[in-house]
Amino acid sequence: MNSDAVKSGIQQAPHRSLFNALGLTQEELRKPMIGIVSSYNEIVPGHMNLDKIVEAVKLGVAMAGGTPIVFPAIAVCDGIAMGHTGMKYSLVTRDLIADSTEAMAMAHAFDALVMVPNCDKNVPGLLMAAARINIPTVFVSGGPMLAGRVHGEKTSLSSMFEAVGAYSAGKMSEEEVEEYACKTCPTAGSCSGMYTANSMNCLTEVLGMGLQGNGTIPAVYSERIRLAKHAGMKIMELYEKNIRPKDIMTEKAFLNALTVDMALGCSTNSMLHLPAIAHEAGYDLNVDIANEISEKTPNLCHLAPAGHAYMEDLNEAGGVYAVMNELNKKSLLYTDLITVTGKTVGENIEGCLNRNTDIIRPIENPYSETGGIAVLKGNLAPDSAVVKRSAVAPEMMKHEGPARVFDSEDDAITAIKGGKIVPGDVVIIRYEGPKGGPGMREMLNPTSAIMGMGLGSSVALITDGRFSGASRGASIGHVSPEAAVGGNIALVEEGDIIQIDINANSLNFKISEEELEKRRSNWKPREPKITTGYLARYASMVTSGNRGAILEIPKK
């Protein structure tokens, strides 16, 4: 299907009357119709500049001979939604974004699309839609925020949340916290560390769906406007050559994404989003393969929250292509794959120099010989769990301690801030998974409280929920099966000894098979927390975290 279905021939005269109502000329209607999916709004800092990006895309499309037409996509600010009921509405928007974009694109018969996202769920949601619709598509996002400056030091949102923990521990005054609040997020853009939004924007370059710099050029740089114009021009080339998302997002492209994910030290949320995008492209991306890729992929970057570098630093060091070029020195990437540039991965990254070996470690001198993310398994997580290994203190890579069990994030935060968690404890937060939450809330508040109170090198946190990309420490999420469906995390009791060995990719609790079966026979499903509206429908269809929390029609 193309736009002729709504604008050409006598049967389409009624359609043309509506295009006339839009003020479109005959000259415009003779050109390809390019849908521009704008995630602009006035509540998300990463999206407040997207109106300018969209205008630049429109210019690029028009210059290259297309007719640009804008329609919207929603977006939730995870930072503002954090720590209250609003966070239940974060992950679930990924599917709303994909569904609504599919509906708009198919209903109006666009010839091609330019996706303009920026923050956490918009990028994967629109990548899912791109694979599903499968017409020529290019991505250009709004770009990362510049780092904040407090007392001469760069800072980011994770520092802000940890400041609250420091205040709770009596280590920071209210005035100091307010100073952080005023200076931590100084510009428009997605938060300045390698959090989920920037992780996924970087991975658009790796997947081949975004132009060079899409993941790293700061939001406030005029270079970002120029990039948007080039994206508008490039979509016309993709349309002429009929290069589609499923031509680009092949199985090998997803393996490249996992490889660069390991090198960059991306957010653990990428382990939810990549399988979901791959599913739409027709591939089963089992997260188990992450460890296999990690074993041979060195971790080259320690951006916030893992270190003290920020997206602006990665950009100046050469960006994603420079990281890919380092990896290619050991032939770790598939380089013969087509991308939205019209060139192959190998052609794209050739000659992309690493300009700062403190920011992007040379492959001969990595932070570690293995990747930044690990998938754990054991009797506590029979299917899988995920941890950002590169952001874990060395002394917590192997840890054993008593379980402190909480059936909601809120109860855990109360205990942590009330001083009831002590060194050695393993905090278990359950019934917060995709189905149990519902919505799989991010746990930035409890992880930040643990770090801010000085417990980051002695306390672990395990959940069937998930973590913000801003979380650091021994934060193990996506435990599958989740508690709501009777996963073993539902059977842990206060004081059970939890055994974590990240280097061995294992997560267990000490219990005999007899005792485990006894607890399982006594377990009963809980009544759903929410029984109306979108969250209730979502809970009835969503799968566990190990499958990317994709939606499936329940089997009868």
Side-chain angles (χ1 to χ4, degrees):
M1 184 176 71
N2 59 36
S3 61
D4 285 341
V6 294
K7 66 186 186 186
S8 299
I10 192 66
Q11 293 300 319
Q12 281 66 43
H15 305 68
R16 287 196 297 278
S17 72
L18 295 168
F19 284 118
N20 287 333
L22 290 169
L24 293 177
T25 64
Q26 289 185 16
E27 291 82 357
E28 287 173 300
L29 290 178
R30 282 195 288 266
K31 297 175 182 179
M33 276 191 352
I34 311 301
I36 302 174
V37 186
S38 172
S39 302
Y40 169 77
N41 64 43
E42 295 182 343
I43 188 64
V44 184
H47 290 228
M48 63 185 285
N49 65 321
L50 294 189
D51 55 340
K52 295 177 177 61
I53 302 296
V54 166
E55 287 303 312
V57 171
K58 289 173 68 176
L59 280 172
V61 169
M63 284 191 288
T67 297
I69 300 177
V70 180
F71 64 87
I74 64 169
V76 163
C77 178
D78 278 18
I80 295 174
M82 195 71 64
H84 60 96
T85 300
M87 182 43 71
K88 294 179 184 290
Y89 288 88
S90 170
L91 178 62
V92 304
T93 64
R94 186 186 71 181
D95 296 274
L96 280 176
I97 291 161
D99 292 349
S100 59
T101 302
E102 174 195 4
M104 289 294 286
M106 298 303 292
H108 301 106
F110 287 103
D111 294 298
L113 298 170
V114 182
M115 305 294 198
V116 187
N118 207 29
C119 288
D120 297 33
K121 309 310 167 302
N122 289 79
V123 184
L126 291 180
L127 282 166
M128 290 164 66
R132 193 184 298 174
I133 301 162
N134 200 34
I135 59 176
T137 303
V138 66
F139 276 67
V140 57
S141 56
M145 184 183 291
L146 294 178
R149 299 288 197 282
V150 180
H151 304 152
E153 298 289 332
K154 287 184 178 181
T155 188
S156 63
L157 187 66
S158 52
S159 306
M160 187 68 254
F161 277 87
E162 289 175 20
V164 176
Y167 173 79
S168 298
K171 297 179 179 181
M172 190 175 284
S173 68
E174 185 175 348
E175 290 73 23
E176 289 173 311
V177 172
E178 282 306 308
E179 183 180 8
Y180 269 84
C182 290
K183 297 178 179 178
T184 293
C185 298
T187 72
S190 46
C191 297
S192 57
M194 188 54 82
Y195 309 148
T196 306
N198 293 325
S199 295
M200 295 309 301
N201 279 322
C202 286
L203 293 182
T204 62
E205 293 189 50
V206 186
L207 284 168
M209 293 298 293
L211 301 179
Q212 182 179 6
N214 187 52
T216 60
I217 298 170
V220 294
Y221 284 12
S222 297
E223 185 182 359
R224 175 68 56 178
I225 300 296
R226 297 197 297 273
L227 180 75
K229 290 177 182 176
H230 282 128
M233 295 181 223
K234 185 60 67 173
I235 193 60
M236 297 311 299
E237 180 184 327
L238 294 172
Y239 169 74
E240 292 296 332
K241 294 179 178 178
N242 196 28
I243 298 174
R244 301 172 180 240
K246 286 186 179 179
D247 300 325
I248 296 169
M249 289 194 288
T250 62
E251 187 171 12
K252 288 180 178 178
F254 285 103
L255 296 178
N256 278 353
L258 280 173
T259 299
V260 179
D261 190 327
M262 295 298 170
L264 285 172
C266 290
S267 162
T268 51
N269 281 314
S270 62
M271 293 294 103
L272 278 177
H273 299 321
L274 286 175
I277 300 161
H279 175 75
E280 296 290 351
Y283 304 106
D284 181 14
L285 189 67
N286 192 317
V287 295
D288 290 355
I289 200 172
N291 286 340
E292 181 183 326
I293 291 175
S294 179
E295 281 302 310
K296 59 183 180 182
T297 307
N299 178 224
L300 304 181
C301 300
H302 267 194
L303 282 84
H308 298 289
Y310 297 84
M311 295 305 297
E312 62 200 64
D313 302 315
L314 178 61
N315 186 62
E316 291 168 13
V320 175
Y321 279 17
V323 175
M324 294 174 73
N325 205 26
E326 285 289 344
L327 293 172
N328 199 41
K329 291 177 182 178
K330 289 192 175 180
S331 301
L332 294 174
L333 298 174
Y334 296 98
T335 57
D336 60 345
L337 311 180
I338 194 67
T339 70
V340 291
T341 66
K343 300 177 181 179
T344 65
V345 170
E347 290 171 324
N348 286 343
I349 67 176
E350 185 177 2
C352 292
L353 300 177
N354 180 355
R355 299 189 182 93
N356 188 336
T357 55
D358 290 330
I359 303 300
I360 304 171
R361 287 277 187 95
I363 199 163
E364 302 83 9
N365 180 35
Y367 282 102
S368 67
E369 293 292 342
T370 54
I373 290 177
V375 174
L376 313 182
K377 283 191 174 185
N379 66 359
L380 186 51
D383 287 343
S384 66
V386 178
V387 64
K388 189 169 184 174
R389 171 165 47 193
S390 59
V392 178
E395 55 269 39
M396 290 300 290
M397 295 295 284
K398 187 172 185 178
H399 179 76
E400 186 171 303
R404 304 298 310 279
V405 181
F406 302 93
D407 287 349
S408 73
E409 177 191 10
D410 312 86
D411 291 345
I413 291 171
T414 299
I416 295 166
K417 292 186 175 179
K420 295 180 180 179
I421 303 301
V422 300
D425 283 350
V426 179
V427 177
I428 305 285
I429 304 178
R430 61 192 183 187
Y431 294 99
E432 289 284 7
K435 192 177 292 288
M440 204 177 187
R441 289 197 286 183
E442 287 186 342
M443 304 288 169
L444 181 55
N445 275 358
T447 60
S448 297
I450 286 169
M451 298 303 297
M453 296 178 77
L455 297 171
S457 60
S458 61
V459 169
L461 194 154
I462 300 171
T463 181
D464 55 6
R466 61 194 179 93
F467 295 107
S468 165
S471 290
R472 62 190 179 106
S475 304
I476 300 168
H478 309 190
V479 170
S480 302
E482 62 173 293
V485 298
N488 286 356
I489 191 171
L491 309 180
V492 178
E493 295 183 356
E494 186 82 8
D496 284 349
I497 299 300
I498 309 296
Q499 297 172 311
I500 301 166
D501 191 338
I502 294 171
N503 289 324
N505 301 317
S506 69
L507 181 63
N508 292 284
F509 64 121
K510 285 186 177 180
I511 188 171
S512 68
E513 281 298 319
E514 293 78 14
E515 177 62 19
L516 189 62
E517 287 306 314
K518 178 183 175 183
R519 293 185 190 180
R520 184 172 287 114
S521 65
N522 290 329
W523 179 82
K524 291 181 175 57
R526 304 207 170 182
E527 289 296 317
K529 295 177 184 176
I530 295 176
T531 57
T532 59
Y534 176 57
L535 286 180
R537 295 198 304 275
Y538 180 88
S540 72
M541 298 175 68
V542 72
T543 61
S544 282
N546 66 305
R547 297 187 57 203
I550 61 172
L551 301 185
E552 287 186 335
I553 298 171
K555 294 178 182 178
K556 294 183 179 179

